[in-house]
Amino acid sequence: MLKKLLPRLGVSCVLLVTLPLMADEAISYFEIPHIFGGVAAIASCIGACLPVLSIFQNSES
């Protein structure tokens, strides 16, 4: 489990740093209203969590 967790945790950390920056750049480039900045921030945080959460996809409770 730890062998799978560490690389996915690393990917999540990288995504947590890069996705909000990329979303801000896309919003400023396409001149999207600021309300969508919050939506993009929430979506990027959820997207950054997906590599770690996918470990538990097939686990039995």
Side-chain angles (χ1 to χ4, degrees):
M1 178 84 162
L2 188 62
K3 199 174 195 179
K4 290 182 180 180
L5 181 64
L6 289 177
R8 290 173 188 240
L9 192 59
V11 168
S12 288
C13 289
V14 169
L15 287 175
L16 194 59
V17 171
T18 58
L19 283 178
L21 295 174
M22 188 176 67
D24 287 342
E25 291 296 322
I27 286 171
S28 65
Y29 179 77
F30 292 112
E31 298 177 359
I32 298 172
H34 293 290
I35 187 71
F36 294 109
V39 174
I42 293 168
S44 64
C45 289
I46 292 171
C49 295
L50 288 178
V52 173
L53 292 176
S54 66
I55 291 175
F56 306 107
Q57 175 178 338
N58 294 326
S59 67
E60 295 179 10
S61 300

